[in-house]
Amino acid sequence: MLRNRIWHRLNLKQKPEYYMEKDSNLKREIRTIDLIGLGIGMVVGTAIFTLPGIVAAKYSGPAVIISFLVGAVGAGLSALAYGEMASVLPFAGSAFSWISVLFGEFWGWIVGWALLAEYFISVAFVASGWSVYMRSFLESLGIKIPNIINGGFNLRTGSIIDIFAALAILLVACLLSRGVSQASKIENIIVGIKLAVIVLFVIIGVTEVHVQNYLPFIPPHRAGTNFGGVQGILAGASQIFIAYVGFDAIAANAAETKNPEKSMPIGLLGTLILGTTLFVIVSLVLVGMFKYSVYFDNAEPASWALRETGHYIAANLLSVIALVGLFSALIAVLLAASRLIYSFGRDCLLPTKLGNVNDKHMPNYALWVITGASIILGSILPFDFLSSLVSAGTLVAFIFVSLGIYALRPREGKDLPKAKFKVPLYPILPALSALFSLMIFLNLNVDAKILIFVWLLLGVVVYILYGYKHSVLVNQESDLD
């Protein structure tokens, strides 16, 4: 009996009306163009100047273009599922809230906790990357940064705190605390500048393309490696897929979006289409300028290719824009992270103060908590090791959201609103989406799988010790099925 009661409690579903009421305290001011700006800021980031060259050299050669298309198809399946979910359930917290309504609070918590890993690490990791760019820029001007503030905690090098990473996070948090509308305007400006530089790279780079660099387009497979052939293309797609995981960062803002039923699907699919187009074009130019093998272990292949062809001004401009462009990803992910933390507080799974909003309808308490935690994380943890949590946590959410369509569809038009956007070819595509994400997850390295297992286990402990006892569902149980 006790076991049945506990199982019943874990599977209690939250009422969508509760989320509608609570999230009505948030101000709807995000437009469709803002969603696409957030998505492109997240998806494209600086990866567009690095990922094509690295994947081409390590996995697929000139067929990196096919790898991007395969990755886009897999990500597109998840985007379709996200689009329908956000259309019917436009709540803060995205997958956490959706799964709580469809499968039960405990499962929603597991998905939300997995996403929290993505957001924590992403905020700190992007800030750390910006710090590296900034330190290199200052050192090129002859400014030496003291070791004590020159990186994360490291007894060997003598560094205590990465001061530039902390400043980057603080700067973005201050911007977000003043309102989503203002942050979106700045995000759109940064993304616009980034797109202009991408166009500039393509215009210049295409004049330096040599057709022989595309041959053989699909290099033969090297035995014992993941390079070449179909295996190389798929291995490249697994790496590239991670570039598309920004969908949840868009969906997390559904409660603050104008007309989310239409805007969310457009924002999600618009991000995918525009992002994929840009990746394919840049890849085509980059592998055409030089033989793909020269990009192996090259941290800035696009800038290098421009310098090697004598376009020094464009190369330096690209490096500066990469420095500024990292802020666009930081704005998107910190915004999404604060809304997820707000959702945990809203449901009383973490202290309720996290679910409070101020007189400007902003969940700033949640924002500053995630800011402080990210600064601490960015100062002490080794990101080359923990960055794998980003993709693992997101893939867990993708699998749940894809399967969630089967629980959502029967309720549409009954106790849930009718969907303004639906996943086509139902019930086939949701299953393919879940299988694709599962395949990518299984191809992650062993460290990633161990880390996400430990992280989820920690989440279960937190839920048992705090969330289970304090959840708002404790007081609603008699009203829930």
Side-chain angles (χ1 to χ4, degrees), residues 205-289:
V206 77
T207 65
E208 305 291 347
V209 166
H210 302 281
V211 176
Q212 63 268 26
N213 290 330
Y214 293 119
L215 304 174
F217 187 71
I218 302 178
H221 176 62
R222 291 177 190 164
T225 72
N226 285 326
F227 179 83
V230 174
Q231 185 173 338
I233 291 173
L234 294 178
S238 296
Q239 298 298 312
I240 285 165
F241 185 79
I242 307 309
Y244 293 114
V245 300
F247 294 131
D248 199 90
I250 302 174
N253 303 299
E256 294 166 272
T257 299
K258 297 178 180 178
N259 195 11
E261 296 81 4
K262 292 183 178 179
S263 295
M264 273 291 160
I266 294 173
L268 290 161
L269 296 176
T271 294
L272 176 71
I273 294 169
L274 181 56
T276 301
T277 301
L278 293 172
F279 272 124
V280 168
I281 292 174
V282 169
S283 299
L284 195 62
V285 172
L286 195 61
V287 296
M289 293 177 72

Side-chain angles (χ1 to χ4, degrees), residues 116 119-121 123-125 127 161-162 165-177 330-331 333-339 341-342 354 363-379 383:
L116 186 61
Y119 293 148
F120 262 139
I121 305 301
V123 170
F125 193 73
I161 186 172
D162 190 337
L167 288 174
I169 296 172
L170 277 174
L171 181 61
V172 171
C174 289
L175 173 64
L176 291 173
S177 69
L330 200 53
I331 289 171
V333 73
L334 191 59
L335 178 61
S338 64
R339 273 44 182 178
I341 293 292
Y342 153 81
L354 293 170
N364 279 359
Y365 191 83
L367 172 64
W368 289 114
V369 167
I370 193 71
T371 297
S374 298
I375 289 173
I376 295 171
L377 201 64
S379 302
F383 292 99

Side-chain angles (χ1 to χ4, degrees), residues 31 59 77 83 122 150 175 183 187 217 229 299 330 375 430 449 461:
R31 304 163 299 167
Y59 302 104
L77 293 173
S122 291
N150 203 26
L175 173 64
E187 175 86 342
F217 187 71
L330 200 53
I375 289 173
K449 295 170 187 173
V461 172

Side-chain angles (χ1 to χ4, degrees), residues 99-437:
I99 302 304
S100 295
V101 169
L102 297 172
F103 292 147
E105 179 186 81
F106 174 73
W107 307 108
W109 168 261
I110 291 296
V111 172
W113 188 258
L115 286 173
L116 186 61
E118 173 199 346
Y119 293 148
F120 262 139
I121 305 301
S122 291
V123 170
F125 193 73
V126 172
S128 180
W130 184 84
S131 176
V132 171
Y133 271 95
M134 177 56 78
R135 293 198 306 266
S136 298
F137 176 71
L138 292 176
E139 287 172 4
S140 70
L141 299 178
I143 301 174
K144 179 66 176 176
I145 309 300
N147 279 346
I148 195 171
I149 59 171
N150 203 26
F153 185 78
N154 190 323
L155 293 176
R156 184 175 56 84
T157 62
S159 62
I160 301 297
I161 186 172
D162 190 337
I163 192 65
F164 290 110
L167 288 174
I169 296 172
L170 277 174
L171 181 61
V172 171
C174 289
L175 173 64
L176 291 173
S177 69
R178 301 185 62 171
V180 175
S181 180
Q182 183 174 345
S184 295
K185 290 176 183 177
I186 294 176
E187 175 86 342
N188 292 341
I189 291 171
I190 294 175
V191 170
I193 294 172
K194 191 188 302 183
L195 292 178
V197 172
I198 291 172
V199 171
L200 177 64
F201 168 78
V202 170
I203 292 173
I204 295 174
V206 77
T207 65
E208 305 291 347
V209 166
H210 302 281
V211 176
Q212 63 268 26
N213 290 330
Y214 293 119
L215 304 174
F217 187 71
I218 302 178
H221 176 62
R222 291 177 190 164
T225 72
N226 285 326
F227 179 83
V230 174
Q231 185 173 338
I233 291 173
L234 294 178
S238 296
Q239 298 298 312
I240 285 165
F241 185 79
I242 307 309
Y244 293 114
V245 300
F247 294 131
D248 199 90
I250 302 174
N253 303 299
E256 294 166 272
T257 299
K258 297 178 180 178
N259 195 11
E261 296 81 4
K262 292 183 178 179
S263 295
M264 273 291 160
I266 294 173
L268 290 161
L269 296 176
T271 294
L272 176 71
I273 294 169
L274 181 56
T276 301
T277 301
L278 293 172
F279 272 124
V280 168
I281 292 174
V282 169
S283 299
L284 195 62
V285 172
L286 195 61
V287 296
M289 293 177 72
F290 289 94
K291 190 71 175 178
Y292 60 85
S293 54
V294 304
Y295 299 125
F296 194 87
D297 282 342
N298 190 328
E300 46 171 6
S303 297
W304 179 88
L306 288 175
R307 283 194 296 269
E308 288 297 306
T309 51
H311 301 285
Y312 299 105
I313 295 177
N316 292 334
L317 179 62
L318 192 149
S319 296
V320 172
I321 294 304
L323 180 63
V324 176
L326 278 169
F327 271 103
S328 64
L330 200 53
I331 289 171
V333 73
L334 191 59
L335 178 61
S338 64
R339 273 44 182 178
L340 178 61
I341 293 292
Y342 153 81
S343 301
F344 289 160
R346 175 198 63 194
D347 289 15
C348 303
L349 298 178
L350 289 181
T352 55
K353 197 169 183 179
L354 293 170
N356 292 347
V357 296
N358 62 17
D359 54 359
K360 295 181 179 179
H361 306 283
M362 297 288 296
N364 279 359
Y365 191 83
L367 172 64
W368 289 114
V369 167
I370 193 71
T371 297
S374 298
I375 289 173
I376 295 171
L377 201 64
S379 302
I380 62 175
L381 294 179
F383 292 99
D384 54 341
F385 183 64
L386 288 178
S387 60
S388 56
L389 268 175
V390 175
S391 53
T394 306
L395 289 167
V396 169
F398 279 11
I399 292 169
F400 268 92
V401 171
S402 298
L403 295 177
I405 295 297
Y406 296 110
L408 178 72
R409 191 65 68 89
R411 296 175 61 179
E412 292 176 1
K414 296 177 182 177
D415 66 323
L416 294 176
K418 288 185 178 180
K420 297 287 182 66
F421 172 85
K422 290 190 176 185
V423 177
L425 298 179
Y426 175 88
I428 298 172
L429 287 191
L432 290 178
S433 176
L435 288 172
F436 193 97
S437 294

